[in-house]
Amino acid sequence: MGLTHYLIVSLLVFSLGLFCVLTRRNAIGVLMGVELVLNSANINYLAFARFSSGGYDGQVFAIFVIMLAAAEAAIGLAIVLGIYQTFQTIDLEATETLRG
């Protein structure tokens, strides 16, 4: 497998994540789409680190993105729980009334 194969897989994962973010009305679905986008970035980091003459930069960035994704998921799920407690639904259309 060459670099092109990894980039194609990353493109597919990114496309699926973007589709999920843009089409889902469910907050959990949007969070899962964001996770797919972040994982596509990880695939790119690891692929370029594997096929370049550099050191471990790609792995370090991938671990940083994994930590960032974990923090994003924790904060996002806390927001979703807050929305559910307030509106009894996790539909993002219901959050229009959150204005100040």
Side-chain angles (χ1 to χ4, degrees), residues 48-86:
F48 282 115
R50 166 82 166 80
F51 291 101
S52 71
S53 61
Y56 296 104
D57 293 344
Q59 286 89 353
V60 171
F61 281 121
I63 290 172
F64 180 74
V65 169
I66 290 170
M67 290 188 299
L68 181 71
E72 174 263 334
I75 293 171
L77 288 175
I79 292 172
V80 169
L81 283 176
I83 290 171
Y84 182 75
Q85 287 177 346
T86 304

Side-chain angles (χ1 to χ4, degrees), residues 5-84:
H5 295 98
Y6 288 103
L7 294 179
I8 289 172
V9 169
S10 175
L11 177 66
L12 289 174
V13 171
F14 180 82
S15 299
L16 288 174
L18 187 63
F19 176 77
C20 194
V21 167
L22 294 177
T23 59
R24 298 291 173 182
R25 296 174 49 191
N26 184 329
I28 300 291
V30 171
L31 282 175
M32 290 175 66
V34 170
E35 294 291 329
L36 285 176
V37 169
L38 292 174
N39 282 327
S40 72
N42 282 341
I43 292 171
N44 278 341
Y45 281 134
L46 295 176
F48 282 115
R50 166 82 166 80
F51 291 101
S52 71
S53 61
Y56 296 104
D57 293 344
Q59 286 89 353
V60 171
F61 281 121
I63 290 172
F64 180 74
V65 169
I66 290 170
M67 290 188 299
L68 181 71
E72 174 263 334
I75 293 171
L77 288 175
I79 292 172
V80 169
L81 283 176
I83 290 171
Y84 182 75

